[in-house]
């Protein structure tokens, strides 16, 4: 059994990041937002003026990824979202990012959020949460995030892009978005961030204790 790995998966803007960060801080574990890896690969492809859906280019950029790519300030927003979704469907990209994610948790565990943490990266994780919310609730949260950053994108566009990316994430052959069989579902449609955190922390403590 891999010690103290908390896998948090789910569709876009379900509240995974906020939840994962708080769980990590409370439990004293490092946190990895794995979406950043795919976002950074997508950006590297765009920098070269190439197509993020091209498997050869996307894998090449995934293998060339550097730590500084993950702290770029242009990894969010509609263009970065779309490029991340495209490179994430390339099996060679996923293979290139696998070891980094596994190594991240190798020193005493970690909290990781993404799409395939509980199904592919850490199928043995003692704690697996699948965090969801209705499309409208998620689109509204993302729209607010964009507003707060000064990006005035119409809510309808956010909803449409999010529905497309979720459908693409769920339909792809390589590590599709789906709950692991032993994941606990957490629907945050009617929960604020505090309620989601309290529920998730209780589940995580329970599962970690059971895995000891
Ligand atoms: O923040 P948001 O939920 O919109 O997305 P993200 O978690 O940053 O992930 C961006 C994209 O990367 C997703 O739409 C997926 O296509 C891809 N991704 C993935 O395939 N596997 C992961 N473990 C994390 C992200």
């Amino acid at each position: 059994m891999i010690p103290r790995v908390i896998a948090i998966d789910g569709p876009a803007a379900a509240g995974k990041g906020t939840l994962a960060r708080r769980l990590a801080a409370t439990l004293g574990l490092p946190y990895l937002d794995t979406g950043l890896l795919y976002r950074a690969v997508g950006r590297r492809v765009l920098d070269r003026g190439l197509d993020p859906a091209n498997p050869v280019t996307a894998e090449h950029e995934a293998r060339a990824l550097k730590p500084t790519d993950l702290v770029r300030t242009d990894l969010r927003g509609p263009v970065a979202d779309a490029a991340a979704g495209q490179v994430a469907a390339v099996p060679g990209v996923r293979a290139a990012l696998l070891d980094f994610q596994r190594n991240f948790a190798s020193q005493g565990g970690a909290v990781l959020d993404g799409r395939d943490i509980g199904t592919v990266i850490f199928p043995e994780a003692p704690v697996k949460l699948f965090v969801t919310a209705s499309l409208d609730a998620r689109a509204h949260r993302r729209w607010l995030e964009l507003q707060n950053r000064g990006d005035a994108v119409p809510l309808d566009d956010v909803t449409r892009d999010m529905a497309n990316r979720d459908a693409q994430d769920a339909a792809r052959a390589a590590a599709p978005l789906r709950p692991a069989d032993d994941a606990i579902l957490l629907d945050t449609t009617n929960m604020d961030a505090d309620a989601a955190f309290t529920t998730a922390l209780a589940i995580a403590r329970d599962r970690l204790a059971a895995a000891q």
Side-chain angles (χ1 to χ4, degrees):
M1 177 68 72
I2 299 165
R4 291 167 72 79
V5 171
I6 301 183
I8 302 191
D9 291 306
K16 303 183 300 286
T18 309
L19 181 62
R21 204 170 281 112
R22 282 180 76 177
L23 285 175
T26 304
L27 296 169
L29 293 170
Y31 163 59
L32 181 63
D33 171 358
T34 65
L36 280 185
L37 302 172
Y38 298 90
R39 290 174 178 279
V41 173
R43 263 296 163 207
R44 288 184 61 106
V45 177
L46 294 176
D47 284 350
R48 294 181 56 199
L50 299 173
D51 177 7
N54 180 312
V56 175
T57 315
E59 181 176 346
H60 180 270
E61 294 307 323
R63 298 208 177 271
L65 198 67
K66 300 190 303 291
T68 48
D69 293 323
L70 303 180
V71 295
R72 290 176 64 148
T73 54
D74 55 359
L75 299 180
R76 308 261 166 212
V79 175
D81 288 353
Q86 286 176 305
V87 300
V90 176
V93 168
R94 308 200 72 86
L97 300 178
L98 189 74
D99 284 349
F100 176 80
Q101 294 174 80
R102 291 203 175 139
N103 289 339
F104 185 83
S106 65
Q107 307 283 319
V111 181
L112 298 94
D113 84 63
R115 302 292 187 285
D116 63 340
I117 309 303
T119 50
V120 175
I121 309 296
F122 287 109
E124 306 294 325
V127 186
K128 297 182 187 178
L129 289 168
F130 194 83
V131 184
T132 59
S134 70
L135 176 63
D136 282 350
R138 293 185 291 111
H140 191 256
R141 288 175 196 165
R142 181 53 46 91
W143 176 77
L144 276 179
E145 259 172 48
L146 289 167
Q147 293 262 87
N148 289 340
R149 279 185 11 192
D151 274 352
V153 183
L155 177 60
D156 283 353
D157 291 8
V158 176
T159 310
R160 185 202 55 221
D161 288 355
M162 190 170 279
N164 286 341
R165 189 153 54 93
D166 286 347
Q168 186 185 27
D169 285 348
R172 69 184 178 214
L177 168 67
R178 68 167 182 84
D181 292 340
D182 51 350
I184 294 182
L185 298 189
L186 186 62
D187 185 333
T188 67
T189 306
N190 297 310
M191 276 185 190
D192 63 15
D194 284 344
F197 171 68
T198 308
T199 307
L201 182 62
I203 293 167
R205 286 199 161 129
D206 202 52
R207 289 269 171 127
L208 287 173
Q212 297 272 302

